[in-house]
Amino acid sequence: MLTKNMLDKLNEQIGYEFESSNLYLQMSAWCKAKGLEGSAGFLRKHAEEELSHMFKFFDYLEETGNLPVIPALAKPKADYENLRNVFEETLAHEKFITGKINGLAELALAEKNWATFQFLQWFTAEQHEEEALFNRVLDLVKMIGTDGRGLFLLDKEIGKLKADK
Ligand code: OFO
């Protein structure tokens, strides 16, 4: 049994996961248009993964006898200064999502809603992995750089990273 507050917050999270997917898909299109195939592929896979997160929340609401209600979604940013800027924004976005997941876990704890608290543990671990992944990408950006041939090499290295690890 979910409280109205918890139900509203879980529905909001469906929107955040959709927005994450749309943001990364839009970023992948920007990369592709710039000829950055490795980064485009990486971000597209990540967009698909975000959609799977959305479905986890969607299914959880149905399994608990509730109606998932998809909220209005924000339009993703379509233009970026450069590849560094793209990945700075992915990390900032993941930190924002981590805050949302932590907020949900805090609410579940306060309400002694152990099933939902348990459900959220997967997302807590996932956020840890995703922040680590995007920190890794930013480390590559710093090490290799985005000038001249560096950009070519950087894009290739990003393309080798697994979007789900
Ligand atoms: Fe990027 O983990 Fe979901 O939003």
Side-chain angles (χ1 to χ4, degrees):
M1 171 79 184
L2 300 178
T3 61
K4 165 90 171 63
N5 194 16
M6 180 59 87
L7 179 57
D8 288 349
K9 292 276 189 311
L10 290 170
N11 268 315
E12 270 175 28
Q13 193 63 34
I14 286 176
Y16 291 133
E17 300 297 339
F18 256 127
E19 286 175 356
S20 299
S21 181
N22 289 347
L23 177 64
Y24 297 151
L25 187 60
Q26 189 66 69
M27 285 172 163
S28 83
W30 182 90
C31 290
K32 185 128 184 157
K34 301 284 175 193
L36 300 165
E37 295 281 338
S39 303
F42 171 82
L43 286 161
R44 190 179 169 112
K45 276 204 209 86
H46 209 84
E48 285 168 14
E49 194 189 338
E50 295 298 353
L51 216 46
S52 77
H53 295 174
M54 183 285 298
F55 275 115
K56 279 184 195 285
F57 282 102
F58 196 94
D59 292 345
Y60 186 70
L61 287 189
E62 287 191 331
E63 283 160 19
T64 51
N66 294 286
L67 180 72
V69 178
I70 300 167
L73 303 178
K75 191 174 185 303
K77 182 176 157 180
D79 201 20
Y80 295 89
E81 282 167 39
N82 49 44
L83 196 58
R84 175 191 290 261
N85 177 231
V86 167
F87 285 107
E88 282 169 350
E89 295 214 13
T90 58
L91 182 60
H93 183 75
E94 286 306 327
K95 287 184 175 170
F96 168 78
I97 296 293
T98 299
K100 293 295 171 189
I101 297 292
N102 290 346
L104 284 170
E106 275 170 29
L107 180 62
L109 199 59
E111 291 185 349
K112 295 187 169 41
N113 182 339
W114 307 124
T116 302
F117 186 74
Q118 176 67 28
F119 165 71
L120 292 166
Q121 294 315 293
W122 185 90
F123 287 94
T124 303
E126 179 67 9
Q127 283 312 118
H128 172 76
E129 276 190 15
E130 295 207 340
E131 285 196 27
L133 175 67
F134 286 116
N135 267 315
R136 170 78 185 132
V137 176
L138 280 178
D139 282 347
L140 287 174
V141 172
K142 283 177 208 145
M143 271 188 284
I144 303 172
T146 56
D147 296 332
R149 282 195 195 156
L151 183 59
F152 176 76
L153 184 62
L154 175 64
D155 182 57
K156 260 184 144 27
E157 289 302 314
I158 292 172
K160 286 185 208 159
L161 292 172
K162 286 187 83 182
D164 57 353
K165 274 275 155 13

